[in-house]
Amino acid sequence: MKNDYPHIFSPLTVKNMTIKNRIVMMPMGTNYGEQNGEMSFLHINYYEQRAKGGTGLIIVENASIDSPQGSNGTTQLRIDHDNYLPRLFKFCENIHRYGTKIAIQINHAGASAISSRINMQPVSASDVPSKEGGEIPRPLSKEEILHIVKKYGEAAKRAQTAGFDAVEIHAGHSYLISQFLSPITNKRTDEFGGSVENRTRFCRMVIDEVRKQVGPFFPIMLRLSADELMEGGNTLEDTLEYLDYLQEEVDIFDVSCGLNGSIQYQIDANYLPDGWRSYMAKAVREKFNKPCISMGNVRDPRLLSVSWLTVTQT
Ligand SMILES: Cc1cc2nc3c(=O)[nH]c(=O)nc-3n(C[C@H](O)[C@H](O)[C@H](O)COP(=O)(O)O)c2cc1C
C-alpha cells in the first residue's frame, strides 16, 4: 500500500508538528461529550480507533469556546474552562501513543445556537438568522466581540496546555466567524461590516489573539467555507480576496464549503462525485502556497494519487 501511494504516506512538517502521512480525519461532532461538556471515555475510545487505523492528523470535533452562549449540540465538547484540561490531557496522551497528531477545532456557534437549549437569545454579527426560518439573533456589541476574541485565545492556550499539536479555528459552516465573513449574515455598518477588510476584522482579531496565546511555533489551522454556494454569499473568488487579510498567521487552510442553506455541499450528498470540491483547496494552495486540506466524498485512494488532492508540502 505504502509503495502504491508514496505521496500519501510521506510526512509533512508544519511549524513544530510533523505529521507521519497526509491522511487527515475531519472534525465531526459526535455528541459523545458528557452532559457538562467534558470529553468522555466513549470519545477517547472512538478517536483511538482512528489513530490505530493509521490516521496522520485527527481534528477533534468543534469544541465550544464560550458556553452556553456559543454552544452547538446537546452534549458538545467544551474547552472554555480549565476544568476540562485533565480529560483533554488524558485524551492527548492516549492518541499520541499511536504516533498520530491531534488538533482540536474551537468554535462559537453564534446564530446557529438554539435558544431553548442555551436559555438566551443567540448572538451574531447582525439580526439575520443562520438559516431560513431560523431564530433571529441579537447583534453583538463591540465590547462583546472583544470578550469573545479573548475566549478564543484562552481556548487555544488550553488546547496547547492539554497536549494538542495544533488548533483549528472554525471560520466556516454558518457559525459565528462565518456569520461575520458572509455578506448574507453580516449587515453591520460599523468597523466589523461592509467592506472585505471590515468583514474579516473579527476573524483577524481571533487569529491574532490565538497566535499571541500559543506562540510562534504552534500551528494554527483555519477552516473555511471557501465557496458558500449560496446566492449573495462569498464565492471562491471572494474568499481568495478576503484571505489576503487573514493568511499571515495561518499555517494550514482546511478548505471546506457551504453554509446552513447549502448543507448538501458542506456535508457532501452521496450523489456528488468523488473529490468534487478539491478545486477549491487547489485554488487556495496556488494563491498562498501553504498546506491545504481537501475533503468531500474522497472514497478511493487512487483519487489522491492522480490529482494534487491531499495535504501538500510547502
Ligand atoms: C455528523 C457530522 C458532524 C460534523 N461536524 C463537524 C464539525 O464539528 N466541524 C466541522 O468543521 N465540520 C463538521 N462536519 C463536516 C465534516 O468535517 C466534513 O467536512 C464533511 O462531512 C465531508 O466529509 P467527507 O470528506 O467524509 O465527505 C461534520 C460532518 C458530519 C457528517
Side-chain angles (χ1 to χ4, degrees):
M1 181 81 166
K2 280 194 174 173
N3 292 340
D4 292 341
Y5 304 107
H7 183 60
I8 298 177
F9 291 100
S10 62
L12 173 81
T13 297
V14 182
K15 294 263 170 89
N16 58 7
M17 168 173 72
T18 297
I19 310 169
K20 65 182 172 183
N21 58 43
R22 311 299 176 97
I23 301 166
V24 183
M25 178 183 175
M26 291 294 102
M28 276 176 291
T30 56
N31 275 332
Y32 280 166
E34 309 280 11
Q35 281 298 328
N36 67 353
E38 189 162 31
M39 185 166 254
S40 66
F41 286 101
L42 202 58
H43 255 136
I44 296 179
N45 180 50
Y46 164 82
Y47 283 110
E48 210 171 332
Q49 300 308 312
R50 275 71 196 173
K52 262 188 204 167
T55 312
L57 172 67
I58 290 175
I59 309 170
V60 170
E61 67 205 68
N62 78 101
S64 168
I65 59 117
D66 194 8
S67 284
Q69 188 192 69
S71 91
N72 157 64
T74 316
T75 48
Q76 186 199 6
L77 274 182
R78 284 176 64 175
I79 191 163
D80 58 345
H81 197 284
D82 287 351
N83 283 350
Y84 299 110
L85 279 173
R87 200 63 74 77
L88 292 171
F89 182 86
K90 176 89 193 138
F91 168 78
C92 290
E93 208 175 41
N94 278 30
I95 301 298
H96 280 149
R97 285 194 288 147
Y98 301 93
T100 297
K101 298 297 180 191
I102 18 174
I104 187 162
Q105 186 181 63
I106 55 174
N107 191 36
H108 188 298
S112 291
I114 300 168
S115 63
S116 59
R117 210 168 38 70
I118 65 172
N119 283 327
M120 59 180 83
Q121 185 182 12
V123 296
S124 185
S126 311
D127 58 356
V128 182
S130 75
K131 63 178 176 199
E132 214 181 306
E135 286 183 68
I136 296 184
R138 174 177 65 77
L140 286 164
S141 69
K142 187 168 174 201
E143 201 181 20
E144 288 174 306
I145 291 172
L146 297 178
H147 170 78
I148 293 171
V149 167
K150 282 234 162 296
K151 299 291 282 185
Y152 272 99
E154 288 168 13
K157 183 70 198 169
R158 248 171 234 123
Q160 188 182 39
T161 304
F164 285 91
D165 303 285
V167 67
E168 177 167 279
I169 299 166
H170 199 347
H173 300 177
S174 289
Y175 292 117
L176 186 62
I177 298 180
S178 154
Q179 289 154 24
F180 274 81
L181 291 173
S182 178
I184 298 177
T185 40
N186 186 341
K187 304 292 178 197
R188 296 179 78 99
T189 52
D190 62 2
E191 71 267 41
F192 292 96
S195 66
V196 175
E197 186 179 5
N198 284 354
R199 276 186 286 116
T200 50
R201 192 177 305 281
F202 173 53
C203 187
R204 200 162 59 248
M205 288 167 69
V206 168
I207 297 169
D208 288 348
E209 181 62 24
V210 167
R211 176 59 74 209
K212 199 171 120 194
Q213 293 299 325
V214 300
F217 308 116
F218 193 74
I220 296 178
M221 304 166 63
L222 188 71
R223 187 157 228 213
L224 304 161
S225 287
D227 193 327
E228 296 179 348
L229 296 163
M230 283 192 65
E231 209 182 317
N234 286 312
T235 62
L236 180 57
E237 285 72 44
D238 296 330
T239 298
L240 293 174
E241 188 192 341
Y242 80 58
L243 284 181
D244 281 333
Y245 292 92
L246 300 178
Q247 62 88 28
E248 201 175 327
E249 290 298 337
V250 176
D251 300 302
I252 301 177
F253 290 110
D254 179 353
V255 187
S256 187
C257 69
L259 298 181
N260 285 342
S262 47
I263 194 83
Q264 70 276 28
Y265 302 116
Q266 186 194 125
I267 297 181
D268 313 60
N270 258 339
Y271 61 77
L272 292 162
D274 285 33
W276 68 276
R277 49 156 127 161
S278 63
Y279 67 93
M280 299 180 198
K282 185 169 191 275
V284 177
R285 162 80 182 158
E286 282 173 357
K287 176 157 181 189
F288 297 102
N289 198 28
K290 294 192 182 194
C292 289
I293 304 172
S294 188
M295 72 296 306
N297 289 357
V298 180
R299 292 173 280 212
D300 190 322
R302 276 174 297 180
L303 188 73
L304 305 175
S305 58
V306 294
S307 79
W308 74 280
L309 181 76
T310 177
V311 178
T312 44
Q313 177 81 60
T314 42

